[in-house]
Amino acid sequence: MFEGFDLELISLRDATLRVRHGGTGPPLLLLHGHPRTHTTWHKVAPRLAQSFFVVCPDLRGFGQSSKPVDTVDHAGSSKRAKAKDCVELMHTLGHEQFSIVGHDRGSYTAFRTAMDYPDTVKSLSILDGVPILDALERCDEKFAKAWWHWFFFAQQDKPERAILADPLTWYGGSPDKMGNGNFQDFCAAIHDPQTVHGMVEDYRAGLKIDRAHDLEDRDAGRKITCPTQVLWSQHDDLEFLYGDVLDVWRPWTTDLCGHGLPCGHHMAEEIPELLTRELAAFHERHQ
C-alpha cells in the first residue's frame, strides 16, 4: 500500500499522529472515519498523489495515533482539538494553507477545521456527513433506528465491552472487500482496547462539546467561507434521513456543490477511481 509515500509518527503539542504523506502539488489532507484508520485511503491517495501532496493521518484517538486524556466534557476528543491537530500537522509539513477531505467522523473534523481556520483551508470536501447539530436537531424515529449507535456509544463502559467481546463481528469487514493491508490495519485497531475507547470517545464528544461548538457558530452566524463539496453514498442512509443532503448544508456554506455517488458507505474502498476523479476535479479548481 501507498507506494512512494513516507510513514512516520509526528509529534504535535497535544498529540502524536501516525501519518502517511506523498506526492507533489498543492497540499490535500484526507481524514478517515469510524472505525477505519488512514489506510482506508490506500486506493485513493496514490491516485491523488499524481496531482497533490497528499497527507493521510490517523486522527487522534484512532489507529496508532495517541489517545487523549479523558475529561468530563470530552474536550480532548472534540473536533476542535482534532482540527487544531490538522492545522499543526500541515504546518509541521510546511504548509500554511491546504485543502481537506473528511469522511464519516472525519467529516466533522474537516468541517470544524474549515470553521475555525477560514484563512487556512482553501477548499473542503465532506463525504457522507451532515453537521452534528443538524443530525441531532433533526433526530426522529428513522434516525434513532438507523443510527442508534450514536446514543449507545454515549453510555459509559458498555460500548467498549460490547465491541471488544467480538470486534470483527461487531464491525464487519473482510480482506476481499477492503484489501488485505487495509483490513489488517483495521483489525489491529478494533482489537485494541485503547483505540476502541478513543473511537467511542469521539461519539461522546459529538453529543456534548461538538454540538455546543456547532450551536455557538450558528448563533453567531458563522459559515464555511471556502468552496465546499458534499458527496454522499446513494446506498447508505443520508438520502433516506434527509432527502436533499445539500439542503442541510446550505445554511452552513457560502459556496456549495455536490451530489450522491453510486456506492455504499466506505466509498474510498468501493469506488476509488470515481471518488478520485470527483475530488481531484473539485480541489484542482480551487487552488
Side-chain angles (χ1 to χ4, degrees):
M1 294 189 299
F2 295 95
E3 183 177 356
F5 278 61
D6 293 324
L7 175 63
E8 58 182 320
L9 292 175
I10 297 180
S11 295
L12 310 174
R13 281 178 296 229
D14 299 321
T16 298
L17 303 184
R18 181 176 65 150
V19 183
R20 280 191 210 256
H21 53 83
T24 57
L28 181 62
L29 179 64
L30 307 183
L31 305 181
H32 63 85
H34 170 265
R36 298 302 203 251
T37 73
H38 78 273
T39 64
T40 193
W41 302 109
H42 71 106
K43 294 180 180 178
V44 170
R47 290 177 166 92
L48 287 172
Q50 297 175 27
S51 303
F52 299 90
F53 174 69
V54 179
V55 181
C56 305
D58 289 348
L59 292 165
R60 72 155 74 182
F62 288 74
Q64 295 181 30
S65 289
S66 61
K67 311 304 185 279
V69 176
D70 288 347
T71 58
V72 173
D73 64 357
H74 310 288
S77 292
S78 71
K79 309 313 169 287
R80 177 157 287 164
K82 295 176 183 183
K84 179 173 171 286
D85 289 347
C86 290
V87 172
E88 188 177 346
L89 169 63
M90 296 304 281
H91 286 182
T92 299
L93 293 172
H95 301 284
E96 297 300 312
Q97 291 185 309
F98 56 91
S99 296
I100 187 168
V101 177
H103 174 252
D104 184 72
R105 303 302 294 184
S107 74
Y108 305 133
T109 293
F111 164 76
R112 179 50 49 197
T113 307
M115 290 292 287
D116 286 2
Y117 302 92
D119 295 331
T120 298
V121 177
K122 298 186 71 173
S123 52
L124 166 68
S125 289
I126 298 289
L127 311 182
D128 259 357
V130 300
I132 287 173
L133 180 62
D134 275 276
L136 294 175
E137 289 188 342
R138 295 166 184 253
C139 181
D140 58 12
E141 182 181 352
K142 289 195 298 183
F143 183 93
K145 284 183 177 179
W147 288 17
W148 56 271
H149 59 282
W150 274 40
F151 308 107
F152 179 62
F153 287 169
Q155 310 309 309
Q156 284 300 122
D157 187 44
K158 292 180 180 179
E160 290 92 333
R161 285 173 174 258
I163 294 167
L164 289 166
D166 191 350
L168 194 55
T169 296
W170 180 274
Y171 284 121
S174 62
D176 60 313
K177 291 184 178 180
M178 298 175 62
N180 188 61
N182 180 35
F183 177 73
Q184 294 302 324
D185 204 74
F186 157 75
C187 281
I190 65 174
H191 284 84
D192 176 46
Q194 288 186 325
T195 299
V196 170
H197 178 68
M199 293 193 296
V200 171
E201 279 289 300
D202 186 86
Y203 283 84
R204 292 172 180 145
L207 296 188
K208 193 168 186 178
I209 191 168
D210 295 331
R211 180 186 183 278
H213 291 157
D214 285 3
L215 184 59
E216 290 170 3
D217 286 334
R218 189 179 67 185
D219 288 348
R222 286 188 286 268
K223 296 187 177 187
I224 298 169
T225 56
C226 68
T228 301
Q229 175 191 52
V230 177
L231 302 173
W232 60 92
S233 308
Q234 293 175 320
H235 302 160
D236 199 40
D237 294 328
L238 288 194
E239 289 184 357
F240 168 72
L241 293 174
Y242 304 114
D244 186 349
V245 180
L246 294 182
D247 278 347
V248 183
W249 281 101
R250 284 191 179 94
W252 293 95
T253 57
T254 58
D255 183 350
L256 178 66
C257 67
H259 54 87
L261 297 178
C263 63
H265 181 58
H266 295 289
M267 54 179 67
E269 298 167 8
E270 295 182 34
I271 52 165
E273 297 90 351
L274 176 58
L275 181 60
T276 298
R277 290 197 300 270
E278 295 279 355
L279 295 176
F282 175 75
H283 291 286
E284 285 171 355
R285 287 200 305 270
H286 298 294
Q287 298 304 315

